[in-house]
Structures are given as C-alpha cells and as structure tokens.
Amino acid sequence: MPSLLDIRRTAAALIAVAMSAALIAFAFIISDSARTQMQTGARLSVGDASVVVQKPVKRQTSGGELDDALLKQVAALDGVASVRGRHWDVLILDLPKQLRNAVNISVSAQDVPTLSQFTTLSSGRLPTATGEVAISTTLAEQQGLSVGNTIRLTTNDADDNADAPHSAPTVVGIVSPGPDTELEGLGAVYATTDQLQAMGANTSYYQLYVAAKPGTDTAALTAAVEQTVHAVQPHALVQDREAVISQRSQNQQGGTMFAGILNVLAPVCAMVAIIVIATTFSTLVARQTRTVGLMRCIGTTRRQVMLAVLRTGLITGLLGSVLGTTAGTGIAAAVISSGHFADLKADQLTISPASLALTIALGTLVTLIAVLRPARKATRISPLVALTGQVASVKQAGRARRWTAAAGVVVAGAGAAVITLGIQVSDIYVTAGGSAIVVLGAVLGLPALVTAIIGLIGRVSSGTRLPVLHLATRNLARNSGRSAAAAATLFVCVLVGSGLFVGLSSLNASFESILGHSSRVDARIFGVTPQTDTAHLTKQVKAVDGVKDVTYVPTLELIQVVDGQTKKTVVDVIDTSAVAPFVRTTSGLEDLDDGTLIVGGIYGIPDGSKVTLTGTAGSVELTARVREGWGAVITPATAQRLNGDAPTNTTMWVRSTGSTMTPATEHALHVAVRGQELMVTGSAAGVEVMSAQIMKVALIVCLVLGAALVIALSGLANTTDVSVLERVREIGVLRATGSSRQEIRRLIVTEGVLVAAVGGGLGLLVGTALGVSETLAMAKSAEGMTVHIPSLVLIGIFAATLAVGLAASVRPAGRAASVPPVRALSEE
C-alpha cells in the first residue's frame, strides 16, 4: 500500500501540529522552571542541613525548649558535622493604646542574616550590638522607616502583662531578604541574640539545622536526631532535608499562575489544530478518492487503506511535534533567559526531557485523533468509484448534517440551562461547565449554521447586484463541509478570545467598584485621640497631593457578650449619610440602625445573634448582621447609650482624588504624619499588584490567541488553495468568457474573507454571551462586579479574523488569476 503523504497538501496540518506543540512545550518549560524556582528558594532556606528540627506550636506546651543544651546533644551525635540554631518570634509594634487595632502591627524577630547574592543590604549596615536592629524592605515601606530612625517594639501580651518589655532600638540597616532567609511574609526585624532578648523575643531556638558529615545515612541520622530531640521535647517536628524542601516549595509562589494560564489555554490551540488537521486530511482523502478506489479494485483491503492514512498522520504528527517542540523550547529559553517573564531567572530555566517527550507524544496523539475520521472515510470508498467517479450521496450528507445540527441544538440548549443555573447560584464552575457544553453544541451545529448563513448571504446578494459575492457564496455552498470546517477554526479562536476579554474587561472596569466593596475607605489614619489637634492634622493631610477630603469616625472599646462568652471588642461609630461622601460605597450598611450591630465574618458572630455591648455609660442588646467590609459598626445613637458624652478616640478616613489611592499618595501620607503617634494603612499596594496581574494575563491571552489564529490561517490557506486546484476548469471558463485576472483574484479573496467573517462573527456572538454569563456568575462572590463589553477589543478581534481570511486567500488568489484560459480549458 503506497503512502498517501503529500508534503504540499499536509503543510497546513504540519504547521498546526507544530504550533500547538510549541505552545505546549512552552507551557511545560514555564511550569518546570517555576517549580525549579520554588525548589531553589526552599533549598536555599535549608542551606547545607540534612535534618531540620522545628519547635512545636504554642498549644503543645509540654516538654523542654530547643536550647543550647539540646543543640550540644544533637551536635554530639555520630555523623553530625554541625548544628545551627535559628531564632524566630513574633513581636508587635509598641504603639499607643489607640493604635492597637491597626493592621500591619506584627513583625517577625529574627537573627542577623548572612548576606548573599540573594539577601542584600539596601542601605546602612547589619546590627552588631545591643540597641541596634536592621529591618526588611517590607517593614520599611509599611512604616515609612529609614536608617537612623527608631522602631518601638513589644510583645503580643503587652496589654495583659505589666512586665512586658518595651524597646526602641535604632535602625542601622535595611535588608532586602532573599529565599535563603526563609521570609514568612511579615515585616522583619533582624538583631543579635542579646537584642532579641531585650525586645522580649523568645531566645530558645525556633529551628535547628543539622548538617551531616560526608557519607552519613540521612535516614539513620534523622532517626537519631528525632530520638534525642523527642527525649527533651516530644512535640518537636523532625524532618529530613527533602521533606522540608518539598513542604516549603509548596508554600511559595513563582511563575505558577502564568504556567496555569498557559496550560488552560493550550487546549484551545490543540482544538484548532485538530480541526485543521482533520480538514487537511479529509481534503487529502477527497483528492485521492479515485486513486483509493483503484487500489480497492486491485485488492487493497479497508484495513490497508486506513493504515495508509494513519501512517501519513503519524509521520505528519511526529515531524510537526518535533519541529514545534524545538521551536517552543527555543522561545521559552529566550524568554526566561531575558529575566522579564514571571520573575524567572536564567539559572532557573529547566528543560525536562520527560516534558519534551510528553509534548511530542501529545502532538502525535492529537494528530492521530484528528486523522481517524478521514481514515474511516477513506475505508468507505467503493471500488466502483474508480470506474464511475461517483462518491457519497449529497442527499445522505445533507441528512447527516441535519441530524448533527439537531443534536447540536439539544446539547447547546442543555448547556444554556446549566449556565442559567450557574448564574442563579453564583457558581463560576457550574457556569464554566455549561459554557463548555454550549461550545460543544455550537461546534456540532456549526456546519448547518454556516451553510445557512452563506446561503442567506447568497440570496441577499443577487447575481446582478453583487455578482462576485453571489458567486463566492455559491462556490462555498458547493463544498459546505469544507467551508464549515474552515470557519470552525476561526469560530473557536474568536469564541475563546472574546469570552476571555469580556471577562478581563469586566474585571478591569469593575475593579474600582470591587475594591470599593472590599476596601470601602481609601486610607485610614489610626491614633487620633481627644488630645490630638485635629484641625492641624486635617490641614496636614489635606495638603498631601492626591487627597480629596477627610472625616473622623469615633471608635469605642467595649465589652461584648455573645452566647455567654465575654471579651473585649472595638467598634466604629458610623452615620451612614455623613460618611457617604468619604467612602467608595455604603453597601453593607443598609441594615444599620439603632438596634443593629454590623460585623464581618471574621468576628465569628452568627447572623441574627443577640449581642450585648457594655460601655462606660451602660449596656445595649443588639442584633448582629454579618456584612463584610466594615468591621464592627454601630450608630451614633447606640454609641450615646453606651458611652454618653465622654470623649473617644477616632480614626481619620481619607478619600483620594483619583479613582483609587495611589502608592505615591499613600507614601506621602506616611511622610505627613511621621513623628506623630499615628499610623497609616491603605489599599494602594493591592491595587497596583492586581492591575499588573490583569495586564499580564491579558498579554498571555493575546499571545495564545495569536498562535491559534496562525494555526487557523494555515488551515484556511490550505483549504482555499485546494479549492482553487479543484476549480481550475471553472476558473478557465470564467477567464475565457471575459473575467479579468483582478476579478478572479477578488472572487477567491472574497471567499476567504467570507468564511472568516462567518466563523469570526459567530465566535464573537457566542464568546461574548459566554463571557457575560461568566461575569454574571462572579457578581455575587466578587461584589461590585458588573458586565463590561470591550467594543474596541472585540472589533479588533473581528478585524484580525478578517485579516486572517485575507492573508490566507492572497496566495491562492494569485495562483488562480495566473492560470491561462487555454490550459484551464484543457483540464479534465
């Protein structure tokens, strides 16, 4: 059985396989490199230790401490080269009582770090004596501190412990910590052991890092260390090096988000590739129908015909996968080596042979799956075709298309029902599942729909009014299956792209509203007491560039009783109408009245519970309503019953001039109140991070969509080229009857653009609808989320689709226009 391989005809399939394999390889390498990044950080934090011992959590108080005596016992074990102890504890900023409810007041107290290529000094020097500390860049930014300032620290139990230490060491350096310091995410203070003790930090060891002598069995050493440690502290956690690295790497974030997005979008390219490959091989089989029929006449079996097609698909898939994997690997290596993608560095580039082999296997498998249907078609070719030239019945094909379209309508209807359910229950996963079902139904019904639309366009463009368009629709309708397959590639691309961009645009447009619901106040300044000169403070803050206005909200310290449990609490006193001009939204305060306590879920008070609050002037029983975003809130009338006319502390609420608080304005607020017993907290950092993430995701979507469109372009170009080759005689008749080269060229281009317009237009409509449904499903979980349709972006996607149709038809159109009429008329 001869091979059906035709390099010219299978070029589109080869490109499709290569492009999808390149994207899969790129995603795998990004994912592997991100994993390497996390493991590298975890290994750096462990250093040369083979075994790590960690002290138990506070609730496990029985047993001794990890102290110097235990360290010496572990160091004396056989196989131990050295033992390094690490101090770590949590302190709080030593703030006035009125500031104790502010955020970001916890700091980690650690040993003086060893500087390396990862952990560096941003300014100053490392502390060497008592009274000196270095701080992390995070803490410096949060508190507006610099070298030469003092930082006041105390312990967590300062309110209940009269003997709690209060210290004010001088900041002598600012450290930019790397992964080798095992940063926990808190702002950090670095000090000598004596200074840690002076600040009230626990100076027993938090961890012991045990380095083994060369040749020591790690398992045996771990068991020996565990036995020694548990004799003193039975609740201590003893782990070998690899277990600690695995645990810490899972807690880190690297390029995993980008790898995840690529892994989600890569199947889009694979789906487009499958359509292109299937169309290409269907065309290839159709072009060789008489050849296959002749082979069947001389004794070739159906199995041999199928194997011939599958062998061609295997060669195409394998070659395309190898080429694509090579290209994807090169692109990933260049991108990561540049150091500008997902914070990955050149030394973290990881190219796994297993991932590359899997990419090639997936590309080949995708090709074989796509070729199965054309191969089965080839086996159905009758030997009589070689004699009669007749193939499948048009009537049978039309009947099959109608049944498929009916099935598509049923499937799409079921998907729409699931989407409706997902929107009603505000479950994005249910809605996403329904969207996938709708897409499946749309793909099933696409051939009939494309045929109907092309037929309608043909009827609207009568032969005399728009003859070229009319003739183009007739040509496309003659081979509606091929036209529908070409349109399907663009349909999938545009559907996914438009759906994602509707979601991203809605998120971006609603970001300020979402932020307003999650962070109603742009910035808060804590620490305003009855003794504070509020007129002067107001003038200072209003003078900051970017500040629109300020207001003061009283705060009360009360005793709270819920279900018999008593504890202290702090509530804000809010007049909804008075604070409305100073907040982004008053959503959540609708239920606030003189008999209600608004609380967030973090307070652990069930909605509808009865809460008794007691102040200096009396007690009040209120009904709790759980509403997020405000903390604990009561009305001024309720506050009067609890506190009378006694003066209270207040919090200044700051409203910025722009749509959100900018980092520059927030930093200026820190500077404005520096030296006063005040603390500023805002949402600027979160806004900046989220905006950057949205932009990066949009960029990745554009890149993947571009790759999918290139695959679709190759498929459409091949389809158009084959269409031209099959109509050489027809084109010759047109040329012989007076049609110019320009008219022939315009005819072929019109066909390509028309297919692109139909596929892209349908994809745009369905994708936009699905994007809107996903946005509506998110509206409840992301309060403030509203639908925003990015008209310009969608028009741009549609224009890009038309450009693909134009580009795909230019070369075939030139070939059609260059065919001499005499040669064309001589074609059989």
Side-chain angles (χ1 to χ4, degrees):
M1 177 71 188
S3 172
L4 296 176
L5 179 63
D6 184 333
I7 297 296
R8 181 180 173 186
R9 298 289 175 264
T10 57
L14 194 68
I15 293 172
V17 176
M19 289 289 292
S20 57
L23 185 61
I24 293 171
F26 184 84
F28 275 146
I29 292 173
I30 294 298
S31 181
D32 291 340
S33 299
R35 193 176 298 110
T36 298
Q37 180 190 52
M38 294 183 290
Q39 290 176 347
T40 299
R43 290 183 186 278
L44 287 170
S45 71
V46 173
D48 61 352
S50 298
V51 180
V52 177
V53 181
Q54 181 163 318
K55 72 179 295 183
V57 294
K58 287 185 177 180
R59 64 176 178 270
Q60 297 170 331
T61 55
S62 61
E65 299 285 353
L66 305 185
D67 54 15
D68 287 325
L70 180 59
L71 185 148
K72 290 178 181 178
Q73 291 182 45
V74 174
L77 294 174
D78 291 338
V80 174
S82 63
V83 181
R84 170 173 57 91
R86 177 174 181 258
H87 297 104
W88 185 89
D89 201 1
V90 176
L91 302 177
I92 63 171
L93 298 175
D94 190 4
L95 302 171
K97 188 176 181 180
Q98 66 270 14
L99 288 177
R100 293 290 168 81
N101 298 308
V103 295
N104 295 327
I105 66 170
S106 295
V107 299
S108 66
Q110 305 182 33
D111 295 305
V112 177
T114 301
L115 298 181
S116 65
Q117 61 175 319
F118 308 102
T119 297
T120 59
L121 267 176
S122 296
S123 60
R125 61 177 177 82
L126 294 178
T128 57
T130 304
E132 298 178 345
V133 295
I135 61 174
S136 66
T137 50
T138 299
L139 184 58
E141 291 169 1
Q142 287 176 349
Q143 303 303 325
L145 296 171
S146 57
V147 173
N149 295 147
T150 58
I151 180 168
R152 296 169 58 184
L153 298 165
T154 189
T155 56
N156 270 315
D157 61 349
D159 284 343
D160 303 318
N161 183 5
D163 298 325
H166 298 266
S167 59
T170 301
V171 176
V172 297
I174 297 177
V175 175
S176 177
D180 48 348
T181 65
E182 196 202 344
L183 184 66
E184 286 80 10
L186 294 173
V189 172
Y190 307 99
T192 63
T193 303
D194 289 340
Q195 178 58 30
L196 289 174
Q197 187 173 17
M199 294 186 299
N202 190 334
T203 52
S204 63
Y205 293 115
Y206 180 68
Q207 291 164 329
L208 298 178
Y209 291 83
V210 183
K213 292 178 180 178
T216 303
D217 181 68
T218 302
L221 180 60
T222 303
V225 170
E226 185 174 30
Q227 183 178 3
T228 302
V229 170
H230 283 176
V232 176
Q233 175 46 264
H235 300 294
L237 179 64
V238 181
Q239 295 175 291
D240 63 41
R241 173 187 180 85
E242 294 307 318
V244 175
I245 290 172
S246 175
Q247 186 180 71
R248 292 181 181 177
S249 63
Q250 291 174 4
N251 296 330
Q252 296 183 29
Q253 295 292 329
T256 50
M257 182 192 75
F258 299 99
I261 294 171
L262 287 169
N263 289 330
V264 169
L265 292 179
V268 175
C269 283
M271 182 183 295
V272 175
I274 286 174
I275 297 172
V276 170
I277 295 166
T279 305
T280 301
F281 276 85
S282 294
T283 303
L284 183 64
V285 170
R287 291 279 298 170
Q288 301 195 26
T289 297
R290 298 196 68 173
T291 302
V292 174
L294 182 60
M295 290 190 296
R296 295 277 287 118
C297 282
I298 60 175
T300 303
T301 64
R302 294 178 183 272
R303 181 174 179 273
Q304 288 175 317
V305 172
M306 173 168 275
L307 288 177
V309 180
L310 291 179
R311 184 165 61 248
T312 304
L314 178 63
I315 295 171
T316 303
L318 190 59
L319 181 59
S321 297
V322 170
L323 292 175
T325 301
T326 303
T329 301
I331 294 170
V335 168
I336 294 175
S337 298
S338 69
H340 299 297
F341 185 85
D343 298 325
L344 294 171
K345 304 294 186 293
D347 59 349
Q348 294 163 349
L349 172 63
T350 304
I351 300 175
S352 167
S355 294
L356 298 185
L358 181 59
T359 301
I360 294 173
L362 286 173
T364 306
L365 180 62
V366 163
T367 307
L368 289 175
I369 291 173
V371 169
L372 281 176
R373 188 167 181 269
R376 291 184 61 190
K377 270 188 176 181
T379 62
R380 297 194 186 104
I381 296 175
S382 168
L384 293 177
V385 171
L387 302 175
T388 65
Q390 295 178 353
V391 288
S393 168
V394 175
K395 185 180 293 185
Q396 289 177 347
R399 189 182 301 117
R401 187 182 300 115
R402 286 193 294 272
W403 278 109
T404 304
V409 171
V410 173
V411 171
V418 174
I419 290 175
T420 303
L421 175 63
I423 294 174
Q424 289 177 344
V425 300
S426 298
D427 191 320
I428 190 171
Y429 296 106
V430 173
T431 309
S435 298
I437 297 173
V438 167
V439 172
L440 176 61
V443 171
L444 289 174
L446 196 61
L449 191 57
V450 169
T451 302
I453 293 174
I454 289 174
L456 178 62
I457 294 174
R459 287 191 294 273
V460 171
S461 59
S462 63
T464 56
R465 191 189 317 168
L466 296 169
V468 173
L469 180 60
H470 183 73
L471 184 57
T473 58
R474 292 185 60 186
N475 291 334
L476 292 173
R478 278 190 303 176
N479 201 328
S480 57
R482 189 184 299 167
S483 302
T489 59
L490 296 168
F491 171 79
V492 172
C493 294
V494 176
L495 181 149
V496 173
S498 57
L500 287 174
F501 275 112
V502 167
L504 285 173
S505 179
S506 298
L507 177 60
N508 192 49
S510 308
F511 185 66
E512 294 172 9
S513 177
I514 295 172
L515 182 67
H517 283 82
S518 60
S519 300
R520 270 76 169 177
V521 184
D522 289 341
R524 289 179 170 90
I525 299 179
F526 296 92
V528 182
T529 67
Q531 292 74 39
T532 302
D533 185 349
T534 54
H536 177 68
L537 179 60
T538 300
K539 184 178 179 181
Q540 276 185 304
V541 174
K542 281 190 172 182
V544 172
D545 187 27
V547 171
K548 180 180 180 181
D549 209 345
V550 302
T551 189
Y552 292 91
V553 174
T555 60
L556 298 179
E557 291 188 9
L558 306 170
I559 301 297
Q560 164 192 298
V561 179
V562 182
D563 295 333
Q565 296 184 352
T566 304
K567 66 177 183 179
K568 293 181 180 179
T569 188
V570 176
V571 300
D572 288 333
V573 182
I574 293 180
D575 181 338
T576 304
S577 60
V579 301
F582 305 95
V583 297
R584 294 293 171 182
T585 178
T586 58
S587 174
L589 296 178
E590 296 86 355
D591 298 323
L592 182 62
D593 57 36
D594 297 342
T596 302
L597 169 68
I598 299 291
V599 289
I602 195 173
Y603 286 78
I605 301 175
D607 188 69
S609 299
K610 296 300 181 181
V611 180
T612 300
L613 298 178
T614 303
T616 58
S619 298
V620 174
E621 185 179 71
L622 304 173
T623 301
R625 295 299 175 197
V626 179
R627 304 290 184 266
E628 298 301 331
W630 293 103
V633 178
I634 59 175
T635 63
T638 304
Q640 176 70 26
R641 295 164 61 189
L642 289 167
N643 198 60
D645 294 323
T648 67
N649 296 327
T650 59
T651 302
M652 176 187 278
W653 288 7
V654 181
R655 175 67 182 261
S656 63
T657 54
S659 56
T660 56
M661 175 69 72
T662 65
T665 302
E666 192 170 311
H667 179 73
L669 286 174
H670 280 286
V671 174
V673 302
R674 184 173 294 165
Q676 306 175 59
E677 293 184 340
L678 300 169
M679 176 177 285
V680 178
T681 64
S683 57
V687 172
E688 195 172 33
V689 170
M690 182 58 70
S691 298
Q693 296 287 18
I694 291 174
M695 290 301 297
K696 289 177 181 178
V697 172
L699 177 60
I700 292 176
V701 171
C702 287
L703 293 175
V704 176
L705 182 60
L709 285 175
V710 171
I711 297 174
L713 187 151
S714 66
L716 184 56
N718 183 69
T719 300
T720 308
D721 191 39
V722 171
S723 176
V724 169
L725 291 174
E726 291 177 344
R727 291 155 48 201
V728 170
R729 185 179 181 87
E730 176 187 321
I731 293 170
V733 171
L734 291 174
R735 292 280 288 116
T737 54
S739 296
S740 65
R741 294 178 185 273
Q742 185 177 0
E743 288 174 327
I744 298 298
R745 188 178 291 108
R746 190 184 308 132
L747 172 64
I748 304 302
V749 169
T750 300
E751 292 177 13
V753 173
L754 185 58
V755 169
V758 173
L762 290 173
L764 205 65
L765 291 174
V766 177
T768 301
L770 296 181
V772 168
S773 67
E774 295 291 338
T775 303
L776 292 175
M778 291 175 61
K780 186 175 181 179
S781 58
E783 193 175 358
M785 186 80 164
T786 56
V787 174
H788 180 265
I789 298 177
S791 303
L792 292 179
V793 174
L794 297 183
I795 291 172
I797 293 176
F798 187 67
T801 307
L802 296 182
V804 166
L806 178 62
S809 57
V810 167
R811 187 168 177 270
R815 181 178 290 125
S818 64
V819 174
V822 174
R823 177 185 167 191
L825 290 172
S826 67
E827 290 287 331
E828 294 183 2

